[in-house]
Amino acid sequence: NAGVMQNPRHLVRRRGQEARLRCSPMKGHSHVYWYRQLPEEGLKFMVYLQKENIIDESGMPKERFSAEFPKEGPSILRIQQVVRGDSAAYFCASSRSDDQPQHFGDGTRLSIL
Amino acid sequence: AQKITQTQPGMFVQEKEAVTLDCTYDTSDQSYGLFWYKQPSSGEMIFLIYQGSYDEQNATEGRYSLNFQKARKSANLVISASQLGDSAMYFCAMREDTGRRALTFGSGTRLQVQP
């Protein structure tokens, strides 16, 4: 099953540490999207990337958050100096093109102690 | 700006009956797509069904159908013959075909199927 792969599934960090979340898109998909879900809420868009390019980062906080999708390897969402408010589920989705349905990974649950 | 409204925080349905989950949307774009996703308690997001704004026929996928009423800006999900495994959160989402490619999600409806 070559679905969208996210790891780790669960990540625990202490305040001030860095969190790195990984996403490997489905085979043949070159468009990657990151979303954040707070408890009991819908998903909120963060950033949209194609290989080596950030297309839209309008939903991403200006500080501490960054994303990349290198030519080789998975897409990475990086959160520096984490705070309690960063606790959430982070979902990655991929699509073959920007007008095709997005398929989601199982998410990474980030907990900040 | 896009907006998705799901007015039913929770719904109950008896097993084997049909249920309709409401979704209304707001957009100034003429071309857009509407999606429904299922999120079981295990947390993953499962794509269910898609409707394009120019599609004349309502979308269907197995037991799922989308009741698309463009003039009313509604895109309700109908699940026929409910099963216990349908118990989950259901999210309606929209993507405008011009400009931003990201999905805008509603707040979700929690469906519980009772035996």
Side-chain angles (χ1 to χ4, degrees):
Chain A
N1 184 0
V4 179
M5 303 299 294
Q6 286 189 251
N7 68 81
R9 189 75 193 270
H10 299 274
L11 181 61
V12 180
R13 286 287 178 265
R14 296 189 181 280
R15 281 178 294 174
Q17 291 184 319
E18 178 179 289
R20 282 184 178 239
L21 289 62
R22 293 175 185 77
C23 169
S24 296
M26 285 179 69
K27 189 175 181 181
H29 287 194
S30 59
H31 299 250
V32 166
Y33 311 79
W34 285 93
Y35 294 84
R36 177 165 64 178
Q37 184 181 32
L38 296 173
E40 302 301 317
E41 293 188 11
L43 279 67
K44 297 285 195 300
F45 167 73
M46 298 182 74
V47 62
Y48 163 37
L49 311 101
Q50 294 180 38
K51 282 287 186 183
E52 300 184 275
N53 291 305
I54 295 175
I55 307 302
D56 180 356
E57 57 181 348
S58 59
M60 200 151 69
K62 295 282 187 284
E63 297 181 355
R64 303 189 299 109
F65 286 72
S66 62
E68 63 178 13
F69 189 16
K71 188 176 181 182
E72 301 291 338
S75 175
I76 306 286
L77 179 67
R78 182 182 177 206
I79 311 172
Q80 295 177 288
Q81 299 174 340
V82 296
V83 301
R84 287 252 171 89
D86 297 333
S87 295
Y90 291 82
F91 286 91
C92 169
S94 74
S95 63
R96 191 175 299 277
S97 62
D98 64 4
D99 62 346
Q100 292 294 305
Q102 295 173 22
H103 295 268
F104 283 78
D106 289 346
T108 294
R109 273 94 189 142
L110 175 64
S111 298
I112 309 302
L113 301 179
Chain B
Q2 307 175 42
K3 187 176 179 182
I4 296 283
T5 302
Q6 294 181 254
T7 57
Q8 306 153 314
M11 289 280 287
F12 289 90
V13 65
Q14 289 292 126
E15 198 177 5
K16 299 179 186 175
E17 292 188 350
V19 63
T20 298
L21 306 184
D22 294 342
C23 173
T24 59
Y25 59 92
D26 188 21
T27 179
S28 55
D29 265 31
Q30 296 301 309
S31 180
Y32 49 88
L34 296 155
F35 304 78
W36 278 91
Y37 287 85
K38 173 184 178 181
Q39 187 176 42
S41 57
S42 48
E44 66 269 32
M45 292 288 288
I46 302 167
F47 166 68
L48 295 178
I49 197 166
Y50 164 78
Q51 178 87 40
S53 58
Y54 289 114
D55 294 342
E56 295 186 356
Q57 303 269 6
N58 284 345
T60 60
E61 288 287 347
R63 293 186 299 110
Y64 304 109
S65 60
L66 202 152
N67 183 1
F68 180 44
Q69 298 189 43
K70 194 170 182 177
R72 292 187 173 187
K73 293 191 174 178
S74 74
N76 298 340
L77 178 70
V78 180
I79 306 174
S80 62
S82 297
Q83 301 172 357
L84 295 177
D86 293 335
S87 295
M89 282 289 285
Y90 288 80
F91 291 97
C92 179
M94 179 173 68
R95 181 194 62 215
E96 292 173 340
D97 289 343
T98 55
R100 173 186 266 199
R101 309 308 288 163
L103 295 171
T104 298
F105 284 83
S107 55
T109 295
R110 184 174 298 281
L111 176 67
Q112 294 194 48
V113 180
Q114 297 176 318

